[in-house]
Amino acid sequence: MATQIRELIGNHKILPVSMERVRDEDDLYELGMTSFASVQLMLALEEAFDIEFPERMLNRKTFASISAIDRSVSELVSGRA
Amino acid sequence: MNVAVNPAALTTPALERMARVADEVAARYAADVDATGRFPEETFAALKRERLLGCWIPKEYGGEGLSLTEICGLVARLGQACGSSAMIYGMHQIKMSSLIQHSVGSPWHLDYMREAARDQLLLGSATTEGGIGGDLRNSICAVEVVGDRYRLTKQATCISYGRAADAILATCRRNPDAASSDQVMVVCRKGDYTLRETVDWDTMGMRGTRSEGFELVSEGDARQVFVQPFSEIAAQSMLAMAHIIWTATWYGIAADTVVKAQAFVKAEAKKKPGTVPPGALRLAEVSASLQQMKSLLVAGIARYEEALADESLMNTLSFIAELNTIKVSASQLGIAIAQQSLMILGLAGYRNAGPWTIARNYRDLLSAAIMINNDRILGNTSNLLLISKIDVSVA
Ligand SMILES: Cc1cc2nc3c(=O)[nH]c(=O)nc-3n(C[C@H](O)[C@H](O)[C@H](O)COP(=O)(O)OP(=O)(O)OC[C@H]3O[C@@H](n4cnc5c(N)ncnc54)[C@H](O)[C@@H]3O)c2cc1C
Protein backbone atom coordinates (compact mmCIF):
# COMPACT_ATOMS: atom_id res chain seq x y z
CA MET A 1 0.00 0.00 0.00
CA ALA A 2 2.88 2.38 0.79
CA THR A 3 4.00 2.05 -2.84
CA GLN A 4 0.57 3.06 -4.08
CA ILE A 5 0.50 6.04 -1.69
CA ARG A 6 3.92 7.10 -2.96
CA GLU A 7 2.66 6.96 -6.52
CA LEU A 8 -0.33 9.13 -5.66
CA ILE A 9 1.88 11.72 -3.94
CA GLY A 10 4.21 11.74 -6.95
CA ASN A 11 1.51 11.84 -9.62
CA HIS A 12 -0.46 14.61 -7.93
CA LYS A 13 2.72 16.66 -7.38
CA ILE A 14 1.96 16.97 -3.68
CA LEU A 15 5.58 17.70 -2.75
CA PRO A 16 8.10 20.12 -4.24
CA VAL A 17 10.82 17.44 -3.88
CA SER A 18 11.36 14.20 -5.79
CA MET A 19 9.81 11.05 -4.25
CA GLU A 20 13.10 9.10 -4.18
CA ARG A 21 14.29 11.42 -1.43
CA VAL A 22 11.26 10.83 0.78
CA ARG A 23 11.40 8.16 3.47
CA ASP A 24 8.25 6.61 4.93
CA GLU A 25 8.69 8.38 8.27
CA ASP A 26 9.58 11.84 6.92
CA ASP A 27 7.31 14.73 7.88
CA LEU A 28 5.59 15.69 4.63
CA TYR A 29 4.71 19.17 5.91
CA GLU A 30 8.37 19.82 6.61
CA LEU A 31 9.16 18.71 3.07
CA GLY A 32 6.88 21.47 1.82
CA MET A 33 3.39 19.95 1.60
CA THR A 34 1.01 22.92 1.69
CA SER A 35 -2.46 22.75 3.21
CA PHE A 36 -3.90 23.00 -0.32
CA ALA A 37 -1.78 20.03 -1.42
CA SER A 38 -2.75 18.02 1.66
CA VAL A 39 -6.45 18.36 0.81
CA GLN A 40 -5.70 17.34 -2.78
CA LEU A 41 -3.92 14.28 -1.39
CA MET A 42 -6.89 13.41 0.85
CA LEU A 43 -9.24 13.59 -2.14
CA ALA A 44 -6.89 11.44 -4.23
CA LEU A 45 -6.66 8.83 -1.46
CA GLU A 46 -10.45 8.67 -1.06
CA GLU A 47 -10.82 8.18 -4.80
CA ALA A 48 -8.02 5.62 -5.18
CA PHE A 49 -8.98 3.42 -2.22
CA ASP A 50 -12.73 4.02 -2.37
CA ILE A 51 -12.84 5.22 1.23
CA GLU A 52 -14.18 8.25 3.08
CA PHE A 53 -12.17 9.84 5.87
CA PRO A 54 -14.26 10.52 8.97
CA GLU A 55 -13.86 14.03 10.50
CA ARG A 56 -11.68 12.77 13.34
CA MET A 57 -9.10 11.55 10.80
CA LEU A 58 -9.07 14.84 8.91
CA ASN A 59 -6.20 16.32 10.83
CA ARG A 60 -2.54 17.09 10.29
CA LYS A 61 -1.28 13.96 12.04
CA THR A 62 -3.16 11.54 9.81
CA PHE A 63 -1.36 12.87 6.74
CA ALA A 64 1.97 13.84 8.29
CA SER A 65 4.00 10.97 6.79
CA ILE A 66 3.67 8.11 4.33
CA SER A 67 3.56 5.58 7.15
CA ALA A 68 0.89 7.59 9.00
CA ILE A 69 -1.23 7.70 5.84
CA ASP A 70 -0.64 4.00 5.36
CA ARG A 71 -1.96 3.26 8.87
CA SER A 72 -5.09 5.39 8.43
CA VAL A 73 -5.92 4.09 4.97
CA SER A 74 -5.35 0.49 6.10
CA GLU A 75 -7.70 1.04 9.04
CA LEU A 76 -10.45 2.33 6.75
CA VAL A 77 -9.90 -0.34 4.07
CA SER A 78 -9.96 -3.20 6.58
CA GLY A 79 -12.98 -1.68 8.37
CA ARG A 80 -14.86 -1.80 5.10
CA ALA A 81 -14.01 -5.43 4.30
CA MET B 1 10.13 51.86 29.62
CA ASN B 2 10.55 51.73 33.38
CA VAL B 3 7.31 52.38 35.20
CA ALA B 4 6.52 52.20 38.88
CA VAL B 5 3.90 49.58 39.57
CA ASN B 6 0.60 50.73 40.98
CA PRO B 7 0.42 48.96 44.36
CA ALA B 8 -3.35 48.61 43.97
CA ALA B 9 -2.72 46.65 40.77
CA LEU B 10 -2.23 43.41 42.56
CA THR B 11 -5.41 43.43 44.63
CA THR B 12 -7.98 44.70 42.10
CA PRO B 13 -9.45 42.34 39.49
CA ALA B 14 -7.91 42.72 36.03
CA LEU B 15 -11.11 43.95 34.38
CA GLU B 16 -11.43 46.77 36.92
CA ARG B 17 -7.84 47.79 36.30
CA MET B 18 -8.48 47.72 32.55
CA ALA B 19 -11.59 49.87 32.97
CA ARG B 20 -9.40 52.40 34.77
CA VAL B 21 -6.85 52.43 31.95
CA ALA B 22 -9.56 52.60 29.27
CA ASP B 23 -11.65 55.37 30.82
CA GLU B 24 -8.96 57.49 32.42
CA VAL B 25 -6.14 57.17 29.90
CA ALA B 26 -6.96 55.49 26.57
CA ALA B 27 -10.20 57.42 25.97
CA ARG B 28 -8.47 60.67 26.75
CA TYR B 29 -5.67 60.24 24.22
CA ALA B 30 -7.52 58.24 21.55
CA ALA B 31 -8.39 61.23 19.35
CA ASP B 32 -4.84 62.54 19.38
CA VAL B 33 -3.36 59.09 18.73
CA ASP B 34 -5.67 58.80 15.73
CA ALA B 35 -5.14 62.33 14.42
CA THR B 36 -1.37 62.21 14.60
CA GLY B 37 -0.97 58.48 13.94
CA ARG B 38 1.27 57.88 16.92
CA PHE B 39 1.81 54.96 19.30
CA PRO B 40 -0.51 55.33 22.34
CA GLU B 41 2.36 55.59 24.81
CA GLU B 42 0.30 56.94 27.72
CA THR B 43 -2.05 53.96 27.49
CA PHE B 44 0.81 51.47 27.42
CA ALA B 45 2.55 53.15 30.32
CA ALA B 46 -0.73 52.77 32.22
CA LEU B 47 -1.14 49.12 31.18
CA LYS B 48 2.35 48.42 32.50
CA ARG B 49 1.60 50.28 35.72
CA GLU B 50 -1.51 48.17 36.18
CA ARG B 51 0.47 45.04 35.31
CA LEU B 52 -1.88 44.16 32.50
CA LEU B 53 0.76 43.11 29.95
CA GLY B 54 1.75 39.90 31.73
CA CYS B 55 -1.58 38.91 33.28
CA TRP B 56 -2.11 35.91 30.97
CA ILE B 57 1.15 34.30 32.08
CA PRO B 58 0.64 31.44 34.56
CA LYS B 59 1.03 32.34 38.23
CA GLU B 60 4.10 30.16 38.67
CA TYR B 61 5.88 32.36 36.12
CA GLY B 62 4.82 35.62 37.71
CA GLY B 63 1.57 36.36 35.91
CA GLU B 64 -2.04 36.02 37.00
CA GLY B 65 -2.98 32.99 34.90
CA LEU B 66 -6.13 34.58 33.48
CA SER B 67 -8.42 32.63 31.17
CA LEU B 68 -8.94 33.31 27.46
CA THR B 69 -12.42 34.67 28.25
CA GLU B 70 -10.90 37.13 30.71
CA ILE B 71 -8.23 38.19 28.22
CA CYS B 72 -10.88 38.78 25.54
CA GLY B 73 -12.88 40.79 28.07
CA LEU B 74 -9.86 43.02 28.70
CA VAL B 75 -9.20 43.52 24.99
CA ALA B 76 -12.84 44.38 24.28
CA ARG B 77 -12.99 46.78 27.22
CA LEU B 78 -9.97 48.68 25.91
CA GLY B 79 -11.53 48.60 22.44
CA GLN B 80 -14.43 50.67 23.68
CA ALA B 81 -12.00 53.50 24.42
CA CYS B 82 -9.30 53.28 21.72
CA GLY B 83 -9.31 50.80 18.83
CA SER B 84 -5.60 51.11 18.11
CA SER B 85 -4.67 50.50 21.75
CA ALA B 86 -6.93 47.45 21.87
CA MET B 87 -5.48 46.04 18.65
CA ILE B 88 -1.94 46.51 19.97
CA TYR B 89 -2.88 44.95 23.30
CA GLY B 90 -4.59 42.10 21.45
CA MET B 91 -1.64 41.45 19.14
CA HIS B 92 0.63 41.45 22.18
CA GLN B 93 -1.58 38.82 23.82
CA ILE B 94 -1.54 36.68 20.65
CA LYS B 95 2.27 36.62 20.85
CA MET B 96 2.02 35.96 24.57
CA SER B 97 -0.11 32.88 23.86
CA SER B 98 2.74 31.45 21.77
CA LEU B 99 5.17 32.00 24.61
CA ILE B 100 2.79 30.52 27.19
CA GLN B 101 1.97 27.43 25.16
CA HIS B 102 5.14 26.67 23.29
CA SER B 103 7.91 27.29 25.79
CA VAL B 104 7.65 23.80 27.22
CA GLY B 105 11.00 22.07 26.93
CA SER B 106 12.88 25.30 26.30
CA PRO B 107 14.48 26.78 29.42
CA TRP B 108 15.36 29.98 27.53
CA HIS B 109 11.70 30.66 26.67
CA LEU B 110 10.51 29.76 30.17
CA ASP B 111 12.99 32.27 31.61
CA TYR B 112 11.91 34.85 29.09
CA MET B 113 8.29 34.35 30.09
CA ARG B 114 9.26 35.07 33.71
CA GLU B 115 11.07 38.16 32.57
CA ALA B 116 8.06 39.26 30.49
CA ALA B 117 5.84 39.03 33.56
CA ARG B 118 8.33 40.78 35.83
CA ASP B 119 9.17 43.64 33.45
CA GLN B 120 5.77 43.82 31.70
CA LEU B 121 7.37 43.37 28.27
CA LEU B 122 5.46 44.29 25.11
CA LEU B 123 5.71 41.69 22.34
CA GLY B 124 5.37 42.45 18.63
CA SER B 125 5.04 40.29 15.56
CA ALA B 126 6.69 39.97 12.16
CA THR B 127 4.95 37.36 10.06
CA THR B 128 4.07 39.45 6.99
CA GLU B 129 6.92 39.51 4.46
CA GLY B 130 7.66 41.25 1.18
CA GLY B 131 6.85 38.85 -1.67
CA ILE B 132 4.66 36.70 0.60
CA GLY B 133 2.15 39.11 2.10
CA GLY B 134 -0.32 37.70 4.58
CA ASP B 135 0.41 34.05 3.74
CA LEU B 136 1.51 33.23 7.28
CA ARG B 137 2.61 29.67 6.55
CA ASN B 138 5.31 30.53 4.04
CA SER B 139 8.54 32.47 4.44
CA ILE B 140 11.26 33.62 2.10
CA CYS B 141 13.74 34.71 4.78
CA ALA B 142 15.67 32.09 6.74
CA VAL B 143 17.38 32.04 10.11
CA GLU B 144 21.04 31.04 10.12
CA VAL B 145 22.43 29.39 13.20
CA VAL B 146 26.20 29.43 13.48
CA GLY B 147 27.56 28.00 16.72
CA ASP B 148 25.43 29.45 19.50
CA ARG B 149 24.26 32.51 17.56
CA TYR B 150 21.28 33.10 15.26
CA ARG B 151 21.19 35.64 12.48
CA LEU B 152 18.09 36.78 10.60
CA THR B 153 17.26 39.43 8.03
CA LYS B 154 13.59 39.87 7.15
CA GLN B 155 11.82 42.26 4.78
CA ALA B 156 8.97 42.69 7.24
CA THR B 157 6.45 44.84 5.42
CA CYS B 158 4.17 45.30 8.40
CA ILE B 159 5.29 45.30 12.05
CA SER B 160 2.84 47.03 14.35
CA TYR B 161 4.43 49.14 17.13
CA GLY B 162 7.79 47.82 15.89
CA ARG B 163 9.73 50.62 17.54
CA ALA B 164 7.87 50.44 20.85
CA ALA B 165 8.02 46.66 21.28
CA ASP B 166 10.44 44.98 23.70
CA ALA B 167 10.71 41.98 21.39
CA ILE B 168 9.54 41.00 17.92
CA LEU B 169 8.55 37.39 17.30
CA ALA B 170 9.53 36.75 13.69
CA THR B 171 8.75 33.79 11.45
CA CYS B 172 11.31 32.50 8.97
CA ARG B 173 12.51 29.30 7.32
CA ARG B 174 14.35 26.88 9.60
CA ASN B 175 17.60 27.23 7.63
CA PRO B 176 18.66 28.59 4.23
CA ASP B 177 18.00 25.17 2.57
CA ALA B 178 14.54 24.60 4.09
CA ALA B 179 11.28 24.58 2.12
CA SER B 180 9.22 27.80 2.31
CA SER B 181 6.71 26.19 4.68
CA ASP B 182 9.36 24.64 6.95
CA GLN B 183 9.31 27.55 9.39
CA VAL B 184 10.40 28.44 12.90
CA MET B 185 9.70 31.47 15.07
CA VAL B 186 12.44 33.50 16.75
CA VAL B 187 12.16 35.82 19.74
CA CYS B 188 14.17 38.82 18.52
CA ARG B 189 14.84 40.92 21.60
CA LYS B 190 15.25 44.66 21.60
CA GLY B 191 19.00 45.17 21.38
CA ASP B 192 19.33 42.17 19.04
CA TYR B 193 17.95 44.04 16.06
CA THR B 194 17.97 47.15 13.95
CA LEU B 195 14.86 48.36 12.11
CA ARG B 196 15.22 50.27 8.87
CA GLU B 197 11.88 51.76 7.86
CA THR B 198 10.79 50.75 4.36
CA VAL B 199 7.04 51.54 4.34
CA ASP B 200 5.28 54.19 6.40
CA TRP B 201 1.88 53.86 8.11
CA ASP B 202 -0.54 56.58 7.10
CA THR B 203 -3.84 54.76 6.92
CA MET B 204 -7.59 55.26 7.13
CA GLY B 205 -7.82 53.71 10.57
CA MET B 206 -5.88 51.80 13.20
CA ARG B 207 -3.52 54.73 12.91
CA GLY B 208 -2.05 54.26 16.35
CA THR B 209 -0.84 50.71 15.69
CA ARG B 210 2.00 52.24 13.64
CA SER B 211 2.28 49.11 11.53
CA GLU B 212 5.24 50.28 9.49
CA GLY B 213 7.32 48.15 7.17
CA PHE B 214 10.91 47.52 8.15
CA GLU B 215 13.99 45.63 7.19
CA LEU B 216 14.58 43.68 10.37
CA VAL B 217 18.20 42.64 10.95
CA SER B 218 18.62 40.62 14.11
CA GLU B 219 21.32 38.59 15.79
CA GLY B 220 21.36 36.88 19.17
CA ASP B 221 21.46 33.70 21.23
CA ALA B 222 20.51 30.65 19.13
CA ARG B 223 18.30 29.36 21.96
CA GLN B 224 15.85 32.17 21.17
CA VAL B 225 14.54 30.09 18.24
CA PHE B 226 11.40 28.23 19.39
CA VAL B 227 12.04 24.49 19.60
CA GLN B 228 8.57 23.59 18.31
CA PRO B 229 8.20 24.09 14.54
CA PHE B 230 6.08 27.10 13.56
CA SER B 231 3.65 24.79 11.73
CA GLU B 232 2.63 23.45 15.15
CA ILE B 233 2.59 26.85 16.84
CA ALA B 234 0.31 28.14 14.09
CA ALA B 235 -1.98 25.11 14.19
CA GLN B 236 -2.16 24.73 17.96
CA SER B 237 -2.46 28.30 19.10
CA MET B 238 -1.61 31.21 16.89
CA LEU B 239 -4.24 31.00 14.16
CA ALA B 240 -7.07 30.39 16.59
CA MET B 241 -5.78 33.01 19.02
CA ALA B 242 -5.47 35.63 16.29
CA HIS B 243 -9.00 35.07 15.04
CA ILE B 244 -10.51 35.04 18.52
CA ILE B 245 -8.58 37.99 19.95
CA TRP B 246 -9.05 40.11 16.81
CA THR B 247 -12.76 39.38 17.09
CA ALA B 248 -12.71 40.58 20.71
CA THR B 249 -11.00 43.81 19.58
CA TRP B 250 -13.55 44.52 16.84
CA TYR B 251 -16.35 43.58 19.21
CA GLY B 252 -15.19 46.24 21.69
CA ILE B 253 -14.91 48.89 18.99
CA ALA B 254 -18.34 48.01 17.56
CA ALA B 255 -19.90 47.85 21.04
CA ASP B 256 -18.79 51.42 21.71
CA THR B 257 -20.84 52.62 18.73
CA VAL B 258 -23.91 50.83 20.11
CA VAL B 259 -23.38 52.31 23.57
CA LYS B 260 -23.31 55.76 21.95
CA ALA B 261 -26.37 54.98 19.85
CA GLN B 262 -28.29 53.92 22.94
CA ALA B 263 -27.34 57.09 24.85
CA PHE B 264 -28.42 59.12 21.83
CA VAL B 265 -31.83 57.44 21.63
CA LYS B 266 -32.30 57.85 25.37
CA ALA B 267 -31.47 61.56 25.19
CA GLU B 268 -34.02 61.93 22.39
CA ALA B 269 -36.65 60.12 24.46
CA LYS B 270 -36.08 62.53 27.34
CA LYS B 271 -36.40 65.53 25.06
CA LYS B 272 -39.82 64.42 23.84
CA PRO B 273 -41.52 62.59 26.69
CA GLY B 274 -44.32 60.26 25.72
CA THR B 275 -42.92 59.48 22.25
CA VAL B 276 -40.67 56.68 21.03
CA PRO B 277 -37.71 58.23 19.18
CA PRO B 278 -37.28 57.10 15.56
CA GLY B 279 -33.91 55.57 16.31
CA ALA B 280 -35.34 53.18 18.91
CA LEU B 281 -36.26 50.50 16.40
CA ARG B 282 -32.83 50.69 14.83
CA LEU B 283 -31.32 50.39 18.28
CA ALA B 284 -33.17 47.13 18.83
CA GLU B 285 -31.88 45.98 15.45
CA VAL B 286 -28.25 46.89 16.10
CA SER B 287 -28.36 45.31 19.55
CA ALA B 288 -29.27 42.05 17.81
CA SER B 289 -26.24 42.38 15.54
CA LEU B 290 -23.99 43.07 18.51
CA GLN B 291 -25.36 40.01 20.24
CA GLN B 292 -24.60 37.98 17.11
CA MET B 293 -21.02 39.22 17.20
CA LYS B 294 -20.71 38.35 20.86
CA SER B 295 -22.06 34.86 20.13
CA LEU B 296 -19.33 34.34 17.54
CA LEU B 297 -16.71 35.37 20.07
CA VAL B 298 -18.11 33.21 22.85
CA ALA B 299 -18.43 30.23 20.50
CA GLY B 300 -14.85 30.67 19.30
CA ILE B 301 -13.53 30.74 22.86
CA ALA B 302 -15.57 27.68 23.83
CA ARG B 303 -14.37 25.79 20.77
CA TYR B 304 -10.76 26.64 21.50
CA GLU B 305 -11.01 25.60 25.13
CA GLU B 306 -12.59 22.34 24.07
CA ALA B 307 -9.73 21.79 21.64
CA LEU B 308 -7.13 22.56 24.32
CA ALA B 309 -8.54 19.67 26.32
CA ASP B 310 -8.69 17.37 23.29
CA GLU B 311 -5.67 17.77 21.05
CA SER B 312 -7.14 15.64 18.30
CA LEU B 313 -9.86 18.27 17.80
CA MET B 314 -7.28 21.06 17.55
CA ASN B 315 -5.70 19.48 14.50
CA THR B 316 -8.89 18.78 12.59
CA LEU B 317 -9.80 20.62 9.43
CA SER B 318 -13.27 21.38 10.78
CA PHE B 319 -11.74 23.28 13.72
CA ILE B 320 -9.65 25.41 11.38
CA ALA B 321 -12.64 26.00 9.09
CA GLU B 322 -14.76 27.07 12.06
CA LEU B 323 -12.23 29.56 13.40
CA ASN B 324 -11.66 30.95 9.88
CA THR B 325 -15.38 31.48 9.52
CA ILE B 326 -15.63 33.27 12.85
CA LYS B 327 -12.98 35.77 11.74
CA VAL B 328 -14.65 36.45 8.40
CA SER B 329 -18.12 36.81 9.94
CA ALA B 330 -16.97 38.99 12.85
CA SER B 331 -15.02 41.31 10.57
CA GLN B 332 -18.11 41.85 8.43
CA LEU B 333 -20.44 42.24 11.40
CA GLY B 334 -18.22 44.87 13.02
CA ILE B 335 -18.52 47.25 10.12
CA ALA B 336 -22.23 46.47 9.68
CA ILE B 337 -22.82 47.39 13.33
CA ALA B 338 -20.97 50.68 12.93
CA GLN B 339 -23.14 51.45 9.90
CA GLN B 340 -26.34 50.63 11.82
CA SER B 341 -25.21 52.84 14.71
CA LEU B 342 -24.50 55.61 12.23
CA MET B 343 -28.10 55.45 11.01
CA ILE B 344 -29.20 56.15 14.58
CA LEU B 345 -26.64 58.85 15.34
CA GLY B 346 -27.00 60.57 11.97
CA LEU B 347 -24.89 63.60 11.30
CA ALA B 348 -23.79 63.77 14.95
CA GLY B 349 -22.18 60.36 14.53
CA TYR B 350 -20.72 61.22 11.15
CA ARG B 351 -18.85 64.25 12.49
CA ASN B 352 -15.18 63.79 13.20
CA ALA B 353 -15.55 65.18 16.71
CA GLY B 354 -18.15 65.76 19.38
CA PRO B 355 -19.82 63.51 21.91
CA TRP B 356 -21.53 61.29 19.33
CA THR B 357 -18.75 60.76 16.80
CA ILE B 358 -18.11 57.19 15.69
CA ALA B 359 -15.79 58.21 12.85
CA ARG B 360 -12.73 56.63 14.41
CA ASN B 361 -14.56 53.41 15.28
CA TYR B 362 -15.79 53.15 11.69
CA ARG B 363 -12.36 53.70 10.17
CA ASP B 364 -10.71 51.31 12.63
CA LEU B 365 -13.26 48.60 11.83
CA LEU B 366 -12.56 48.90 8.10
CA SER B 367 -9.24 47.13 8.69
CA ALA B 368 -10.94 43.97 9.96
CA ALA B 369 -11.74 42.51 6.55
CA ILE B 370 -8.19 43.04 5.25
CA MET B 371 -6.29 42.02 8.36
CA ILE B 372 -5.38 38.82 6.58
CA ASN B 373 -7.71 39.46 3.68
CA ASN B 374 -11.08 37.74 4.05
CA ASP B 375 -10.70 36.49 0.48
CA ARG B 376 -7.49 34.73 1.42
CA ILE B 377 -9.20 33.14 4.43
CA LEU B 378 -12.28 32.18 2.44
CA GLY B 379 -9.98 30.68 -0.21
CA ASN B 380 -8.32 28.59 2.46
CA THR B 381 -11.66 27.51 3.94
CA SER B 382 -13.05 26.63 0.50
CA ASN B 383 -10.14 24.22 0.09
CA LEU B 384 -10.86 22.60 3.48
CA LEU B 385 -14.52 22.21 2.58
CA LEU B 386 -13.62 20.05 -0.40
CA ILE B 387 -13.11 17.31 2.14
CA SER B 388 -14.33 18.38 5.58
CA LYS B 389 -18.05 18.03 6.20
CA ILE B 390 -20.22 21.03 7.09
CA ASP B 391 -20.85 20.99 10.84
CA VAL B 392 -24.59 20.69 11.46
CA SER B 393 -24.41 19.72 15.13
CA VAL B 394 -25.77 21.87 17.95
CA ALA B 395 -23.08 21.30 20.55
C1 LIG C 1 -3.98 47.02 11.64
C2 LIG C 1 -3.07 45.97 11.09
C3 LIG C 1 -1.98 45.58 11.83
C4 LIG C 1 -1.10 44.60 11.35
N1 LIG C 1 -0.02 44.25 12.10
C5 LIG C 1 0.84 43.31 11.67
C6 LIG C 1 1.97 42.94 12.45
O1 LIG C 1 2.20 43.45 13.54
N2 LIG C 1 2.81 42.01 11.96
C7 LIG C 1 2.60 41.42 10.76
O2 LIG C 1 3.39 40.55 10.40
N3 LIG C 1 1.55 41.73 9.99
C8 LIG C 1 0.66 42.69 10.42
N4 LIG C 1 -0.41 43.03 9.63
C9 LIG C 1 -0.53 42.47 8.30
C10 LIG C 1 -1.48 41.30 8.21
O3 LIG C 1 -1.02 40.26 9.01
C11 LIG C 1 -1.58 40.82 6.76
O4 LIG C 1 -0.32 40.48 6.28
C12 LIG C 1 -2.11 41.88 5.88
O5 LIG C 1 -3.38 42.23 6.35
C13 LIG C 1 -2.15 41.47 4.43
O6 LIG C 1 -2.69 40.20 4.27
P1 LIG C 1 -3.45 39.73 2.95
O7 LIG C 1 -3.36 38.30 2.92
O8 LIG C 1 -4.76 40.35 2.92
O9 LIG C 1 -2.76 40.51 1.80
P2 LIG C 1 -1.53 40.17 0.88
O10 LIG C 1 -0.93 38.88 1.16
O11 LIG C 1 -0.68 41.39 0.89
O12 LIG C 1 -2.30 40.02 -0.45
C14 LIG C 1 -2.52 41.10 -1.35
C15 LIG C 1 -3.83 40.91 -2.07
O13 LIG C 1 -4.01 39.57 -2.48
C16 LIG C 1 -5.35 39.24 -2.50
N5 LIG C 1 -5.63 37.84 -2.04
C17 LIG C 1 -6.73 37.40 -1.47
N6 LIG C 1 -6.69 36.09 -1.26
C18 LIG C 1 -5.53 35.67 -1.68
C19 LIG C 1 -4.92 34.39 -1.72
N7 LIG C 1 -5.52 33.30 -1.27
N8 LIG C 1 -3.68 34.33 -2.20
C20 LIG C 1 -3.07 35.43 -2.65
N9 LIG C 1 -3.62 36.66 -2.65
C21 LIG C 1 -4.83 36.78 -2.16
C22 LIG C 1 -6.05 40.22 -1.64
O14 LIG C 1 -7.05 40.80 -2.41
C23 LIG C 1 -5.01 41.21 -1.21
O15 LIG C 1 -5.40 42.51 -1.46
C24 LIG C 1 -1.32 44.01 10.10
C25 LIG C 1 -2.44 44.40 9.34
C26 LIG C 1 -3.30 45.36 9.82
C27 LIG C 1 -4.49 45.75 9.00
Side-chain angles (χ1 to χ4, degrees), chain A residues 2-77:
Chain A
T3 324
Q4 231 176 321
I5 294 168
R6 278 177 174 278
E7 264 173 37
L8 280 177
I9 296 175
N11 293 345
H12 286 81
K13 300 193 171 51
I14 300 298
L15 294 175
V17 296
S18 122
M19 283 312 288
E20 288 98 72
R21 283 185 45 195
V22 183
R23 286 161 305 180
D24 283 359
E25 299 298 331
D26 284 350
D27 188 318
L28 300 178
Y29 295 100
E30 278 180 21
L31 292 173
M33 180 167 69
T34 63
S35 79
F36 178 75
S38 71
V39 170
Q40 294 303 312
L41 174 60
M42 294 170 200
L43 289 170
L45 290 163
E46 286 199 345
E47 183 70 13
F49 295 101
D50 189 22
I51 49 175
E52 191 173 337
F53 291 107
E55 282 303 311
R56 68 175 171 83
M57 277 195 181
L58 293 178
N59 65 49
R60 287 178 64 80
K61 286 205 176 120
T62 308
F63 301 92
S65 65
I66 291 174
S67 49
I69 297 171
D70 194 351
R71 277 193 298 278
S72 309
V73 172
S74 303
E75 186 187 323
L76 291 176
V77 170

Side-chain angles (χ1 to χ4, degrees), chain B residues 87 91 124-129 132-135 154 156 158-161 201 205-206 209 211 246 367-377 379-380:
Chain B
M87 185 47 86
M91 289 191 279
S125 165
T127 56
T128 306
E129 185 175 12
I132 294 262
D135 183 9
K154 179 163 185 164
C158 194
I159 307 182
S160 297
Y161 52 98
W201 184 254
M206 288 295 177
T209 60
S211 312
W246 288 347
S367 66
I370 56 152
M371 192 159 184
I372 308 289
N373 198 294
N374 279 357
D375 282 357
R376 182 188 288 285
I377 298 177
N380 181 284

